[in-house]
Amino acid sequence: MSRKSTTTRKRPANVLSQSARKLLEDDEPMPPPAKKFKPLSSALNMFNIDSPKSTQTATQRKGKGKEKAATPALPPTFSGSQTPGDESLWLDMYGPMDETDLAVHKRKVEDVRHWLSEASDGGSSGKLRKYRRLLVLSGPAGSAKTATIRVLSKELDFEILEWQNAVSEGLPSDEDSDGYANFEGAMDKFQAFAARAASCRTVFSSETSSSQTSQANGSQASSCKRRAQLILLEDLPNLNHGKTQERFHSILEGLVHSPASIPVVIVVSDAGIRGATGDDVALASGPSRKEAIGVRSVVPPDLWRSPYVTEIKFNPVSATLMKKALHSLVAKHSRTSSHPQPSKELVELVVDSANGDIRSAIMALQFACVRTEGKPKKKGRQHASQPLIAMVSRREQSLAMFHLLGKVLYNKRKGDAPAPSASAKDIQRDKELDATLKNPPRLPTHLEEHERKASRVDVEVLYADSPIDASLLSLYVHQNYTQFCNDLNQAEGVSDWLSWVDSNGGDQWYQTNPNSFHLITLGTLHSLPSPVPRRSQQMYKPEFFENLKMCRESEDAVEDVVQWLSGIAQTDQSGAGSTRWKKSEVVMELGPVLRARSDLHASGSCLPPPSSHRLFSNLTFSRGQGSKAQLAEEEVPPESSIMLDGDDSWDRRHSASSETRGGGWLEEDDIED
Amino acid sequence: MSLWVDKYRPRTLDDLHYHHDLTARLKSLAASGDFPHMLFYGPSGAGKKTRITCTLRQLFGAGVEKLRIDQRVFMTPSRRKLDLNVVQSNFHIEITPSEVGMYDRVVIQEILKEIAQTQQVDLNAKQRFKVVIINDADTLSRDAQAALRRTMEKYMNNMRIILCANSTSKLIAPIKSRCLLVRVAAPSSEEMQHALEYVAKREKFTLPPEASQQIIEDSNGNLRKAMLVLEALKMQSPDMSGPLSIAKPDWETYCHKVADMIIQEQTPQRVMDVRAKFYELLSHCIPPTVILKTVAERVVDKVDESIKADVMHWAAFYEVRMRVGNKKIFHLEAWVVKVMSLYKHSFYGIELDDFED
């Protein structure tokens, strides 16, 4: 078994190295798409491994290194290793001071403010305070979650007690002599922090904040007035570890139910769903899915269902808001420093390439300015530096997803007629390319149906440049191939290849087929018609992930129903011996009964099933097409943007269910008080 | 108020409504003191689990009905965490390893080892062994079955295993040979009628024979389904008279409509439409194998004799791929395209006159 897998692994390496050698020997077999920017070749070289080093690249290296060093250690702790001539990160220098600076939609800010004020004074009825115990802010990275909470807590005069995982574990720290002398596990520290934060409210408020919490605002420690506090958890312990997670959950529950009633705010950045092969397995195989840190793994499930938890979801920062924020930042910057202001175009470029992540946008902007500051004489060549900036600031993988798919799906072959929109230069280039392509040998008559002209697509180059892995590529191809097929035979070819590649190889990393990228590409190219007729096809993002998300929700609903079933069986005196329902039985057989029960409950007789059962039991057949998210030309293979424009029907259903849930416990609230 | 299925589920072997010779055999087995490993198999809704619980009660007495449900956490060798719901009493433990997908071997090994290493300490216990019930045994992976096979011999002293499966064809031979095979056949119409009438009597209403006949026909030998339908009907029209319309589950009608879509039109565009429908079904947690099976059966009903065999052949072919692969939708779709192309070819190969809708 193991021997087999090693041999299969060896082969592609040879193939690759051979082809790489061929690439080196052949004189420019195919110009990479980026060759368009001639003056930028040096900048391009920066991304390649070995390249002639010009003075320009040297300065860029420095800049890039700095960015890299700075990124992981983001806000307050970061102090060292800065390039001379620049004091600190713009992120720290020009962080939002008040609400107007925040690049967040007003309503979101209002939601958070509402929650915070209710947490401190109990809202209009004064009763809500009890339920405003845990706020979860979720959203993609760089959507200003933490900034919002900081700004608002300042405005509403909250003192933030923040937990940070200690880095120097087990070593005596020079500042604190008491806590670190004996070794204390990270979770012990966290527990102690939670206990202290929850109990030492009135007396030691300033001391707590100085020992384990950050918020080094001088005025706060000195003010002896009693201030409202909130606990901010952002730097979460390692929740992938089972025991740690359990402890974390129990601590969290303790905090929520503690009498001191300090509101807790948890900031969770979506890890995003990736299409990597390993993850797929985790995604596809039911319950073993708690790999990525999601809201549900942070908050214990019972708490999640309780009324004490509120979740506010942040969206990626919209382009207009980000532009506004960046402009005001630039204005601030030019007031304090003598450096030239970055141009408007540059700001726009940065906004475009940031993909809703304001943190990376500011980083990119600062970096871009550092570069232009260093070379004032280049001022006249502003135009030339634009694509460069775009290249530098964009994430590495953004290497035109759109073009990759286009290459695969348009299936251009030697001698194809140029597209009507092609320029003379393009035609010329195609001709040159065709001249280098050798005609494949003729096939014997019984294989004639497989005869194709030589392809203009070089799979090896594609593989090297591809921003995504084979698994994600297969999803994209699957989403889009039908538009490129003329008849069913071609579709049959593509779908069969996709199916074959997906079922090939095993679940472990060493069992995966290393050639799957090539197989998908070549299989698709072979099956598609040649030439592909232009019908103004549009590329869409795979619906797969949204579907998976909905599937998860329904699974949770099934679980709810299973629990409901055993619940009602136990209340019944005769139901003592009943067994647990199987999930598949619930899904496939229980639908009509659940619906009948829900209807019956409307007239008020028995304990209703959880309303979420509609997620799996209610399926209406409609002719309409599901809304699909189109792939934009500049699209970055999305980590999180998959969820940007979600399926309408899903949103509708989800909001409906959350409304009913909200309604449910508000009634309870009135009864209890 | 629990569902009627749960409420009127027989608790002891004497309560069982049908398969009386099987009941007698189980009773004598439980009394003999030499209880073997067992494998209950039969179609869904025939009463396998009910018979298992009744047998347990016969073995251990009423104490076996004191159940608790735990959520157990298992760790795979690759440090992945698995959650599994475990139902147990003092005398037995019930697991459904298929809930953790391909990591079922870990669960089987851990649980069996744990049970096998603990002796029954309760002196009043009727039996010296504990029973492990493994549901969905036919979906166990090869690895898990192999793990099971060894332990079955090794720990015979203080453990018995009861497997529950729909068919024995997916179990490896060594397991089958170590178990006493018990086939629980689907009840006949009369037996179902009897059971339905029993419930109606206990619920104090009269069940018109036409209604029960309709329910029995619809449920196709699945007594659980019949009970559920009965309850739903009773809730919809309390007097159970007049023309009854038995509501099929939504997913089933949906699948049938998908099959109709496949037959109506065979173009790449239609493939896209069908895919959207499949996505919808999958997002409602309908197992992909069930989707494939239901749609395929419907398609087979509608197409010409000459391609029926091919349709099923490809359904089986892509079902295997689906089990191995990760992205179920690929395989569902590949099958659809295949069927469309088959259908189209047969359609144009033969003259049109056979194919009036």
Side-chain angles (χ1 to χ4, degrees):
Chain A
M1 171 101 173
S2 65
R3 209 180 68 213
K4 201 172 119 200
S5 71
T6 48
T7 49
T8 47
R9 246 192 310 151
K10 247 183 192 163
R11 239 179 59 218
N14 287 338
V15 172
L16 275 184
S17 65
Q18 269 171 17
S19 66
R21 223 175 297 134
K22 212 176 79 192
L23 263 180
L24 290 176
E25 284 161 12
D26 286 1
D27 207 13
E28 292 195 340
M30 179 178 154
K35 268 276 156 85
K36 266 186 266 178
F37 322 113
K38 272 279 154 55
L40 293 171
S41 50
S42 59
L44 283 168
N45 286 337
M46 195 176 89
F47 294 102
N48 296 338
I49 306 137
D50 35 19
S51 58
K53 283 169 195 146
S54 66
T55 49
Q56 204 184 352
T57 42
T59 51
Q60 283 163 354
R61 279 262 165 74
K62 213 156 124 198
K64 196 187 177 201
K66 175 186 160 275
E67 192 189 43
K68 264 206 176 140
T71 324
L74 271 172
T77 51
F78 178 72
S79 58
S81 79
Q82 283 166 5
T83 41
D86 207 359
E87 302 79 34
S88 69
L89 291 176
W90 288 7
L91 270 179
D92 301 339
M93 287 162 65
Y94 308 114
M97 304 302 286
D98 53 35
E99 198 202 327
T100 50
D101 283 352
L102 278 176
V104 183
H105 195 276
K106 276 211 186 72
R107 213 176 317 138
K108 282 274 179 275
V109 180
E110 202 45 53
D111 283 350
V112 179
R113 175 183 297 130
H114 202 66
W115 191 91
L116 283 176
S117 63
E118 278 178 353
S120 69
D121 61 18
S124 52
S125 65
K127 288 172 186 166
L128 278 172
R129 183 164 182 215
K130 197 169 145 194
Y131 295 117
R132 297 287 180 261
R133 305 307 303 275
L134 183 60
L135 175 66
V136 180
L137 299 181
S138 62
S143 52
K145 299 178 292 290
T146 317
T148 308
I149 203 78
R150 285 193 191 280
V151 164
L152 285 179
S153 62
K154 207 175 195 182
E155 181 194 311
L156 300 168
D157 201 28
F158 271 96
E159 185 180 349
I160 296 183
L161 309 177
E162 185 181 352
W163 164 253
Q164 287 188 328
N165 284 331
V167 186
S168 56
E169 207 163 279
L171 293 172
S173 155
D174 39 359
E175 298 153 45
D176 282 297
S177 51
D178 55 317
Y180 297 110
N182 323 341
F183 177 76
E184 213 181 357
M187 279 314 281
D188 294 331
K189 283 183 205 163
F190 182 71
Q191 198 159 21
F193 161 75
R196 263 177 261 174
S199 61
C200 305
R201 178 167 184 223
T202 48
V203 192
F204 299 114
S205 112
S206 57
E207 275 179 46
T208 344
S209 67
S210 68
S211 66
Q212 291 219 344
T213 62
S214 76
Q215 196 59 14
N217 227 334
S219 63
Q220 283 186 358
S222 60
S223 75
C224 39
K225 193 184 87 195
R226 249 180 73 171
R227 303 177 59 199
Q229 292 175 315
L230 70 88
I231 299 175
L232 176 63
L233 300 178
E234 191 175 13
D235 198 0
L236 297 169
N238 175 16
L239 295 178
N240 284 333
H241 181 247
K243 288 236 171 71
T244 313
Q245 190 185 19
E246 269 168 44
R247 261 187 94 178
F248 180 76
H249 283 177
S250 66
I251 291 170
L252 212 56
E253 269 171 33
L255 270 178
V256 167
H257 298 298
S258 78
S261 75
I262 300 179
V264 182
V265 178
I266 301 183
V267 176
V268 185
S269 288
D270 296 342
I273 315 167
R274 300 291 322 266
T277 330
D279 293 347
D280 266 353
V281 180
L283 292 170
S285 64
S288 56
R289 57 181 139 116
K290 290 176 178 163
E291 280 292 87
I293 304 252
V295 177
R296 276 188 184 253
S297 68
V298 173
V299 181
D302 334 347
L303 204 58
W304 183 247
R305 282 191 284 270
S306 75
Y308 301 107
V309 181
T310 314
E311 185 190 7
I312 297 182
K313 285 183 181 157
F314 277 63
N315 297 324
V317 180
S318 71
T320 40
L321 281 173
M322 192 188 288
K323 211 181 285 175
K324 215 179 93 196
L326 289 190
H327 276 304
S328 78
L329 187 147
V330 165
K332 260 193 224 165
H333 179 67
S334 62
R335 246 181 279 139
T336 52
S337 77
S338 55
H339 296 312
Q341 208 172 327
S343 69
K344 215 168 192 166
E345 292 83 32
L346 195 135
V347 171
E348 247 155 65
L349 269 172
V350 167
V351 168
D352 278 350
S353 58
N355 202 25
D357 183 346
I358 194 161
R359 183 186 292 136
S360 90
I362 296 177
M363 286 298 213
L365 191 65
Q366 181 177 17
F367 171 50
C369 288
V370 168
R371 239 194 54 69
T372 42
E373 279 160 16
K375 288 191 174 288
K377 60 186 169 186
K378 259 192 81 177
K379 221 177 174 183
R381 294 172 60 193
Q382 192 75 303
H383 177 72
S385 69
Q386 278 173 17
L388 165 72
I389 293 302
M391 290 203 43
V392 169
S393 60
R394 201 180 299 163
R395 291 171 201 185
E396 264 178 53
Q397 24 168 230
S398 67
L399 202 115
M401 187 66 221
F402 189 80
H403 294 295
L404 169 71
L405 271 183
K407 281 212 178 232
V408 176
L409 288 175
Y410 278 109
N411 187 24
K412 288 194 188 152
R413 289 178 184 275
K414 187 175 176 177
D416 278 0
S421 62
S423 65
K425 219 167 108 195
D426 288 340
I427 296 172
Q428 182 58 35
R429 211 179 48 212
D430 281 347
K431 265 194 189 138
E432 281 167 18
L433 180 61
D434 283 354
T436 62
L437 293 174
K438 265 182 249 149
N439 283 323
R442 307 240 359 150
L443 294 174
T445 44
H446 66 282
L447 292 174
E448 244 165 13
E449 53 168 334
H450 290 296
E451 194 146 299
R452 305 280 189 278
K453 285 182 284 185
S455 176
R456 279 185 193 155
V457 181
D458 187 331
V459 186
E460 296 296 346
V461 173
L462 217 56
Y463 185 49
D465 289 349
S466 163
I468 52 174
D469 68 351
S471 163
L472 202 49
L473 174 78
S474 69
L475 283 171
Y476 272 95
V477 170
H478 173 248
Q479 182 67 43
N480 292 302
Y481 77 87
T482 46
Q483 308 169 62
F484 294 84
C485 296
N486 286 338
D487 63 44
L488 269 178
N489 287 349
Q490 293 145 3
E492 190 183 331
V494 183
S495 64
D496 192 61
W497 272 106
L498 287 170
S499 152
W500 189 82
V501 171
D502 180 53
S503 61
N504 195 264
D507 307 317
Q508 304 293 324
W509 60 270
Y510 55 82
Q511 291 170 325
T512 49
N513 187 339
N515 299 316
S516 44
F517 189 96
H518 296 71
L519 286 167
I520 291 169
T521 316
L522 290 173
T524 312
L525 290 178
H526 188 77
S527 315
L528 283 175
S530 160
V532 171
R534 305 254 167 178
R535 293 183 277 252
S536 63
Q537 288 100 333
Q538 285 169 330
M539 305 278 193
Y540 294 98
K541 294 179 205 165
E543 290 162 88
F544 185 78
F545 294 103
E546 252 152 61
N547 181 262
L548 211 58
K549 222 173 91 192
M550 285 160 67
C551 192
R552 285 290 117 78
E553 287 296 321
S554 326
E555 263 172 32
D556 289 332
V558 175
E559 186 58 40
D560 286 348
V561 170
V562 169
Q563 274 171 16
W564 170 77
L565 279 170
S566 54
I568 54 169
Q570 267 162 26
T571 51
D572 233 29
Q573 73 282 4
S574 61
S578 71
T579 52
R580 224 181 117 82
W581 280 72
K582 261 196 282 179
K583 282 185 180 171
S584 55
E585 291 166 3
V586 170
V587 171
M588 298 196 313
E589 292 171 15
L590 220 51
V593 179
L594 286 173
R595 229 171 310 147
R597 283 247 169 166
S598 303
D599 294 346
L600 207 63
H601 175 67
S603 57
S605 63
C606 55
L607 187 68
S611 60
S612 50
H613 78 80
R614 286 193 191 81
L615 281 182
F616 64 87
S617 67
N618 197 2
L619 249 171
T620 42
F621 191 86
S622 64
R623 283 276 152 187
Q625 280 260 8
S627 66
K628 284 175 286 186
Q630 202 174 331
L631 183 69
E633 187 154 354
E634 295 288 304
E635 193 73 59
V636 175
E639 285 151 328
S640 47
S641 58
I642 295 169
M643 284 124 71
L644 280 184
D645 19 12
D647 189 354
D648 286 346
S649 61
W650 160 243
D651 280 340
R652 206 171 52 237
R653 246 184 310 173
H654 189 62
S655 64
S657 73
S658 64
E659 266 165 33
T660 50
R661 188 200 279 171
W665 58 259
L666 274 177
E667 283 163 26
E668 241 171 71
D669 180 51
D670 284 336
I671 296 164
E672 272 181 38
D673 279 294
Chain B
M1 195 179 83
S2 58
L3 300 179
W4 290 355
V5 199
D6 286 335
K7 202 169 167 186
Y8 301 112
R9 194 186 290 277
R11 308 251 173 263
T12 63
L13 286 174
D14 296 324
D15 293 347
L16 290 168
H17 295 288
Y18 50 89
H19 296 339
H20 294 294
D21 43 346
L22 175 62
T23 309
R25 188 163 300 211
L26 287 174
K27 222 183 227 172
S28 63
L29 263 179
S32 72
D34 183 25
F35 194 76
H37 296 308
M38 291 179 95
L39 166 59
F40 283 79
Y41 67 101
S44 186
K48 298 183 293 295
K49 263 168 112 175
T50 307
R51 272 166 187 74
I52 292 174
T53 38
C54 291
T55 314
L56 282 181
R57 202 191 138 106
Q58 189 76 25
L59 274 173
F60 295 105
V64 85
E65 289 182 352
K66 279 197 192 111
L67 293 176
R68 51 184 193 276
I69 300 176
D70 295 336
Q71 195 168 51
R72 294 277 304 265
V73 179
F74 297 91
M75 212 47 127
T76 68
S78 55
R79 316 293 297 161
R80 179 167 286 170
K81 238 180 72 185
L82 307 172
D83 295 328
L84 184 73
N85 288 304
V86 171
V87 181
Q88 57 182 338
S89 73
N90 286 337
F91 308 105
H92 84 288
I93 183 165
E94 182 180 340
I95 50 175
T96 313
S98 58
E99 281 180 17
V100 293
M102 59 187 188
Y103 298 107
D104 48 2
R105 184 180 58 91
V106 184
V107 172
I108 292 270
Q109 279 179 332
E110 293 272 317
I111 291 263
L112 292 193
K113 211 157 72 183
E114 181 191 306
I115 299 291
Q117 283 168 352
T118 49
Q119 294 273 343
Q120 177 62 269
V121 285
D122 188 355
L123 290 176
N124 298 326
K126 285 191 182 170
Q127 312 288 344
R128 289 198 41 93
F129 54 82
K130 273 195 171 188
V131 173
V132 179
I133 301 174
I134 298 175
N135 288 324
D136 284 349
D138 45 355
T139 57
L140 286 178
S141 66
R142 277 290 161 93
D143 283 357
Q145 293 191 30
L148 197 57
R149 155 193 185 178
R150 182 82 190 91
T151 16
M152 282 174 108
E153 284 177 340
K154 208 170 161 190
Y155 300 118
M156 190 68 186
N157 273 341
N158 39 11
M159 178 177 70
R160 296 290 184 279
I161 291 172
I162 297 183
L163 300 166
C164 181
N166 279 339
S167 102
T168 56
S169 63
K170 281 172 190 155
L171 288 168
I172 56 175
I175 289 195
K176 282 190 267 188
S177 84
R178 280 168 178 77
C179 292
L180 176 70
L181 269 65
V182 179
R183 175 157 181 273
V184 184
S188 68
S189 307
E190 293 78 45
E191 287 162 343
M192 284 178 84
Q193 172 98 13
H194 178 67
L196 288 173
E197 272 163 7
Y198 168 79
V199 171
K201 210 173 91 193
R202 295 282 301 271
E203 280 290 317
K204 299 190 183 64
F205 68 95
T206 48
L207 178 67
E210 311 84 61
S212 66
Q213 206 50 48
Q214 210 179 334
I215 294 173
I216 289 165
E217 266 167 36
D218 179 72
S219 56
N220 207 4
N222 185 338
L223 191 59
R224 177 180 53 239
K225 198 173 164 192
M227 289 292 174
L228 288 170
V229 169
L230 177 69
E231 187 174 354
L233 276 181
K234 179 77 173 71
M235 272 188 280
Q236 275 155 6
S237 58
D239 52 351
M240 297 289 278
S241 61
L244 293 169
S245 64
I246 292 179
K248 278 207 174 103
D250 280 357
W251 63 267
E252 214 173 316
T253 15
Y254 202 97
C255 282
H256 287 170
K257 284 186 180 150
V258 174
D260 297 346
M261 281 174 80
I262 296 173
I263 293 173
Q264 274 161 14
E265 189 187 321
Q266 294 86 28
T267 57
Q269 179 53 39
R270 189 39 74 95
V271 175
M272 279 301 277
D273 299 343
V274 171
R275 179 197 302 169
K277 302 299 173 207
F278 276 149
Y279 266 137
E280 189 70 9
L281 279 165
L282 286 173
S283 73
H284 283 70
C285 280
I286 314 296
T289 18
V290 174
I291 300 177
L292 184 56
K293 190 170 154 237
T294 320
V295 178
E297 275 169 358
R298 175 77 169 191
V299 169
V300 163
D301 275 352
K302 297 242 170 160
V303 296
D304 182 66
E305 203 67 46
S306 61
I307 63 166
K308 274 184 179 168
D310 281 339
V311 170
M312 270 309 170
H313 165 79
W314 290 111
F317 180 86
Y318 284 109
E319 205 242 317
V320 173
R321 282 198 179 173
M322 200 150 67
R323 279 184 192 273
V324 183
N326 290 320
K327 305 187 184 75
K328 314 291 182 204
I329 188 80
F330 285 12
H331 311 290
L332 285 174
E333 186 165 313
W335 175 76
V336 167
V337 180
K338 198 89 192 175
V339 169
M340 280 187 175
S341 124
L342 275 173
Y343 184 77
K344 210 170 168 182
H345 283 304
S346 80
F347 197 87
Y348 289 119
I350 312 168
E351 287 313 305
L352 290 168
D353 48 45
D354 295 349
F355 286 92
E356 294 308 321
D357 241 324

